[in-house]
Amino acid sequence: MAGFGEIEGAVAGDRGFAHFGDPIREQRRLIAGTAIAPLDDRMIVEVTGPERLSWLDSITSQSVARLAPGESTELLVLDPQGRVEHAAGVLDDGTTAWLIADAADAEPLGAWLSRMVFRTQVTVAVRSDLTLLGFVDGGTAAATATAAAFAPNGTALVWADPWQQVRAGGHQYAEIADHPGAGLAWRVAILEAAPAEALAVALAHDEVAGLLAAEALRVAAWRPRWAAEVDERSLPHESDWIRSAVHLSKGCYRGQETVAKVHNLGHPPRRLAALHLDGSDDVLPESGAPVFAGDDEVGHITSAVRHHEEGPIALAILSRRTPIGDLVVRADGVDIAAAQQVIVPADAGATADIPRLTRLSRRPTAPDPRDG
């Protein structure tokens, strides 16, 4: 990202700036609202046209037809079997819907949306020219990033992560009153290249943070993302994504039948868990590292980070039948003890207080050309 590479201590990683000298201190600054993180690992898909919101509503998991200017949400694109194919944050400014996607998913998402346009008055474009900056609301970083944000139609483009609370039409499977996501007011500002470069030049070393810091806050909040928690088998129920990205009572969309079935009957085949890792060997497992219960391999790590307060922690996708209790993660030939905290229970969706969901509505949706 132009300009940020000139900041003292900048260390580039595979997807962007990993850190600026001290990832742990950068976490504390992010939480305090005094640091901004350049997010080179995300991109924008721009959707314009008078029918953009009703069209997105008809083909994705979220209810966005009445999304107000400046309002934020997120959506999933599911395959016919209800598995997650794409994910994006959504911000509408009254004229354009701005979708924030993980960088590796932006082009595929844009291509899929373009194939679904048909006769709809919608135009889709991937905007690689725009810059994304992440920050936590409530401090000096918010004022700085918002002032520089792109506002092509009069509304500053700052997306508010909906993970802080259960969205209307959503449901939380995690059986916890004090959800760790509730305390993370994560925001993403969208900037044009020139203002972003000028901001990078103006920021001091202690006003920036890297992707390692941003990821640590995300994992501690149990927040799933496409680049980490999604594979070819992923259902939204498994990572508690119905909490913020699925509307359970909207009209028909591709994959809705599976969403309804798993929600009504319970027992998704896998479940997301939080792991507190033993740091004695100073080994942090990579994504894909196997997780064991005794001698049985029961899942794999999706994200692992070093948190400034909790130490080494991880998210893992486990088999539904994985016993509740301590597990072992195998990384670089080392067995790492892992204390398990259940996020999605094995019987998620089957409890009595979860509203029943109609499996299919009669409202037609646009066909997918891949479905033949």
Side-chain angles (χ1 to χ4, degrees):
M1 188 177 293
F4 286 92
E6 304 302 318
I7 295 176
E8 179 187 355
V11 175
D14 294 337
R15 298 174 297 171
F17 294 106
H19 62 86
F20 292 87
D22 191 338
I24 297 299
R25 186 172 296 175
E26 291 162 30
Q27 288 181 44
R28 297 191 179 102
R29 291 169 180 161
L30 271 180
I31 291 173
T34 61
I36 293 172
L39 304 177
D40 280 354
D41 60 345
R42 278 153 250 212
M43 290 177 62
I44 292 293
V45 178
E46 178 188 39
V47 182
T48 58
E51 296 179 311
R52 67 192 181 283
L53 292 180
S54 59
W55 173 72
L56 285 170
D57 188 276
S58 71
I59 60 175
T60 72
S61 65
Q62 188 55 271
S63 177
V64 297
R66 295 180 176 85
L67 196 67
E71 184 180 358
S72 300
T73 187
E74 69 173 326
L75 56 78
L76 303 175
V77 173
L78 308 178
D79 74 5
Q81 288 72 47
R83 295 182 291 253
V84 178
E85 288 194 333
H86 309 287
V90 186
L91 173 66
D92 194 82
D93 64 9
T95 300
T96 301
W98 305 88
L99 276 55
I100 300 174
D102 285 330
D105 190 36
E107 292 286 355
L109 172 59
W112 184 84
L113 291 173
S114 295
R115 292 198 300 271
M116 298 299 292
V117 170
F118 301 108
R119 295 179 180 273
T120 311
Q121 297 182 62
V122 168
T123 301
V124 178
V126 177
R127 295 290 302 272
S128 58
D129 58 310
L130 297 175
T131 293
L132 286 82
L133 302 177
F135 60 93
V136 173
D137 199 17
T140 56
T144 300
T146 301
F150 190 30
N153 300 302
T155 298
L157 299 184
V158 179
W159 177 73
D161 189 348
W163 188 250
Q164 268 195 283
Q165 58 187 353
V166 181
R167 292 283 300 182
H171 188 89
Q172 176 179 304
Y173 289 151
E175 298 173 347
I176 183 171
D178 187 17
H179 193 287
L184 182 61
W186 185 246
R187 304 290 185 263
V188 176
I190 303 171
L191 279 69
E192 291 185 289
E197 186 168 359
L199 182 60
V201 171
L203 289 173
H205 175 259
D206 60 359
E207 294 177 309
V208 292
L211 292 175
L212 290 177
E215 280 293 279
L217 303 193
R218 178 186 70 83
V219 172
W222 301 352
R223 209 269 188 256
R225 65 179 292 190
W226 180 91
E229 277 63 55
V230 172
D231 60 25
E232 69 280 355
R233 298 169 53 198
S234 296
L235 299 173
H237 316 69
E238 296 174 337
S239 55
D240 212 9
W241 225 338
I242 290 178
R243 188 175 193 271
S244 60
V246 177
H247 196 289
L248 292 174
S249 58
K250 61 168 282 185
C252 180
Y253 56 93
R254 193 175 69 158
Q256 186 200 27
E257 185 170 7
T258 298
V259 169
K261 180 179 179 180
V262 177
H263 181 71
N264 288 338
L265 300 180
H267 303 89
R270 302 184 300 175
R271 60 182 181 83
L272 190 69
L275 303 182
H276 293 262
L277 306 174
D278 180 7
S280 301
D281 292 303
D282 198 31
V283 175
L284 192 67
E286 295 184 355
S287 175
V291 179
F292 292 85
D295 294 329
D296 297 325
E297 185 172 342
V298 295
H300 66 274
I301 295 294
T302 60
S303 304
V305 298
R306 299 187 191 279
H307 191 265
H308 73 287
E309 288 184 339
E310 301 180 35
I313 58 175
L315 296 176
I317 286 288
L318 307 175
S319 165
R320 178 175 60 84
R321 294 183 175 83
T322 301
I324 307 303
D326 292 345
L327 302 170
V328 170
V329 179
R330 189 159 295 161
D332 296 332
V334 176
D335 284 353
I336 305 169
Q340 177 188 175
Q341 186 171 7
V342 174
I343 297 176
V344 176
D347 62 350
T351 54
D353 64 339
I354 291 182
R356 300 289 292 182
L357 173 62
T358 302
R359 290 183 65 186
L360 279 176
S361 80
R362 296 295 182 183
R363 183 164 67 87
T365 188
D368 184 340
R370 296 177 305 169
D371 297 339

